[in-house]
Amino acid sequence: HEHSSGEMRVWSRVLVVCFLGLCLVVGEVASLAPARPARGGMGVAPRRVKLAPLGSSGDGAQLPKYRVDLDQPPGVRWNDVMKDKRAAAHKTITSLFALLPEEVHTEVDKLVLHVEKRLPVWAREEMQGIAAALNVTFGDILLVNFFFEITPFCTSVIARSSSTGHLYHARNLDFGFGMPSFSENLRDLAMEVEFIKGGEPAFMVTTFAGYVGAATGMRSGVFSVSVNEREMTGPLPIPNLLKGVLNLINAILTTDAYPVTWATREALEDDASTFNSVVKMFSERSLATQIYLIIGGASEGDGVVLTRDHNSLLDAWKMDAASGEWFLVQTNYDHWLPMPIWDNRRKPAEKALSKVGTDAILPSSIYSNVLSLDPILNQLTVYSTIMSCAEGKYESFLRKCEGCSPI
């Protein structure tokens, strides 16, 4: 009975936090413009966005680059980053929790007592170090990190160039559903990080200061990966914010399910990782979030989109250039289902890639002619990243298009 009542108290605390967090999201949704044309719908042509000159601080500017030394203790390895990003991180955390009463922070701190022992040591100690550097609670940083697991919208592309023989993996990260003010704050936190091990570069990620997971990353010569939220499911897709709340509860309260971006970070860090081993791991591991994993490799045929439920692989969509399928486009909906009429980014992306052609596909053409088209680029797009695993090339750019589609 004591165990049962204790478990009920934990569930009650989680539901309080999640309910209030959901109210925050719904409040942001209500603030959007009430009526607008469907994105990428029939008769709506993609619009190319005017790019900013190189070296500017606006749309198209390269993200700042940092190095994180994995040989340092986890609790201090982010100190230099957080010193530079302290003001922006405080602003983002403040905006996220602005509508949450003090009681919620107290409940989160109580939750920490139940989940801290279930976290991997590296993640726990890194978040503790970040919390200390920002002079905030560990509970605040933990909740921010879980929040990143449930809200990003994205467009990911893998395409093969017949002229170079290489695969190019690109993505726009849109953050997040109905939260334009939060997206604006995140632009100040977006960065490229090169992780160093034994004095040598180990892998790259594009991320946000204060976030320890990896939603976009590459281990040169081995694999590249982007994580897209599986935001809508079923024969009639509808906004699934409740699913996100359940994912958060699942991540906090279960011992076997694992945050996907933490698993991605560990795979990037593992010296033994191969393209095939990473695909196998993500096909089998129990994950805290329904998700799409877009994985590229160094060989021509190494391109796949994995559609995952919490405990099982639902679909493995493989590139087949020999049969004419030389690119894959994944947004936030199952690729075998019709896209929702109000958010069909996939069709404009596929049309743009076909127009460029496999012989002309390069990082520059993907960026200019695919990732920079409205609605693939929209008001919530925070960054674009383009990766070439075989060539070891990795570039990330700030995105800001106030005249683009709202979401």
Side-chain angles (χ1 to χ4, degrees):
H1 293 292
E2 290 181 3
H3 175 75
S4 177
S5 61
E7 188 175 81
M8 287 299 296
R9 285 195 298 272
V10 174
W11 272 98
S12 297
R13 291 165 183 162
V14 174
L15 290 172
V16 167
V17 175
C18 292
F19 175 76
L20 289 169
L22 182 59
C23 290
L24 172 62
V25 172
V26 172
E28 287 275 3
V29 171
S31 70
L32 291 175
R36 54 188 178 272
R39 296 170 53 193
M42 293 298 294
V44 179
R47 178 169 58 89
R48 180 173 287 104
V49 177
K50 184 177 180 180
L51 303 181
L54 291 176
S56 71
S57 58
D59 181 59
Q62 287 192 324
L63 290 185
K65 299 181 181 182
Y66 293 86
R67 283 187 170 184
V68 170
D69 190 347
L70 293 169
D71 295 323
Q72 288 187 327
V76 301
R77 61 177 56 144
W78 290 99
N79 281 0
D80 289 344
V81 173
M82 300 318 301
K83 181 179 179 180
D84 279 0
K85 297 291 188 178
R86 180 182 175 91
H90 271 289
K91 180 181 178 182
T92 302
I93 292 173
T94 299
S95 69
L96 179 60
F97 292 124
L99 298 182
L100 301 182
E102 184 61 33
E103 289 79 7
V104 173
H105 295 278
T106 301
E107 293 301 319
V108 171
D109 289 338
K110 292 177 182 177
L111 280 175
V112 169
L113 299 176
H114 296 272
V115 303
E116 185 174 350
K117 62 184 178 182
R118 296 176 179 170
L119 304 180
V121 173
W122 68 266
R124 182 178 72 244
E125 293 185 357
E126 285 189 9
M127 286 188 288
Q128 288 171 336
I130 291 168
L134 295 178
N135 194 27
V136 299
T137 69
F138 173 61
D140 286 344
I141 299 301
L142 178 63
L143 190 56
V144 166
N145 272 261
F146 276 121
F147 185 78
F148 278 100
E149 293 284 319
I150 65 172
T151 50
F153 274 47
C154 317
T155 301
S156 291
V157 171
I158 296 181
R160 178 187 178 273
S161 169
S162 61
S163 59
T164 68
H166 298 310
L167 292 181
Y168 297 108
H169 186 167
R171 74 99 47 86
N172 277 357
L173 185 134
D174 309 334
F175 206 106
F177 180 76
M179 302 196 70
S181 60
F182 196 64
S183 304
E184 181 61 31
N185 291 334
L186 285 176
R187 293 187 177 96
D188 294 329
L189 295 180
M191 60 184 181
E192 268 189 21
V193 177
E194 182 180 51
F195 286 84
I196 306 298
K197 185 188 294 186
E200 298 293 331
F203 60 95
M204 298 286 298
V205 303
T206 312
T207 189
F208 303 105
Y211 181 47
V212 301
T216 310
M218 183 184 80
R219 189 174 181 93
S220 183
V222 183
F223 76 100
S224 57
V225 62
S226 56
V227 177
N228 287 18
E229 177 68 4
R230 188 169 177 242
E231 196 64 28
M232 300 184 185
T233 57
L236 183 63
I238 58 173
N240 208 340
L241 293 176
L242 288 177
K243 176 183 71 64
V245 175
L246 292 173
N247 289 341
L248 181 60
I249 295 172
N250 185 55
I252 292 175
L253 292 179
T254 62
T255 57
D256 57 342
Y258 204 66
V260 64
T261 63
W262 294 5
T264 303
R265 163 80 184 272
E266 291 176 354
L268 287 164
E269 191 170 337
D270 188 353
D271 294 334
S273 286
T274 65
F275 172 80
N276 289 330
S277 72
V278 170
V279 171
K280 184 175 187 296
M281 182 272 290
F282 277 121
S283 297
E284 298 174 351
R285 187 164 190 175
S286 180
L287 300 174
T289 317
Q290 299 185 81
I291 208 77
Y292 303 106
L293 291 130
I294 301 86
I295 307 171
S299 301
E300 287 189 24
D302 290 349
V304 65
V305 175
L306 303 179
T307 301
R308 279 296 314 265
D309 202 344
H310 294 291
N311 299 310
S312 61
L313 175 68
L314 301 181
D315 182 72
W317 183 23
K318 298 180 180 179
M319 180 178 290
D320 187 2
S323 298
E325 195 169 34
W326 58 271
F327 64 77
L328 303 176
V329 176
Q330 179 64 52
T331 56
N332 301 100
Y333 319 103
D334 295 345
H335 69 85
W336 59 90
L337 295 176
M339 297 296 101
I341 59 173
W342 58 271
D343 183 20
N344 189 355
R345 285 163 286 142
R346 194 181 86 190
K347 289 299 182 184
E350 291 175 340
K351 182 177 179 180
L353 285 162
S354 296
K355 184 176 180 179
V356 173
T358 182
D359 57 333
I361 280 292
L362 291 170
S364 58
S365 61
I366 294 175
Y367 177 80
S368 298
N369 299 322
V370 182
L371 300 183
S372 296
L373 294 182
D374 185 348
I376 304 159
L377 176 66
N378 56 77
Q379 290 183 21
L380 297 185
T381 307
V382 177
Y383 69 75
S384 298
T385 295
I386 306 175
M387 303 171 275
S388 174
C389 187
E391 298 173 305
K393 295 180 179 179
Y394 192 101
E395 290 186 296
S396 299
F397 304 92
L398 180 74
R399 305 315 307 263
K400 187 173 183 178
C401 184
E402 295 177 357
C404 287
S405 301
I407 55 174

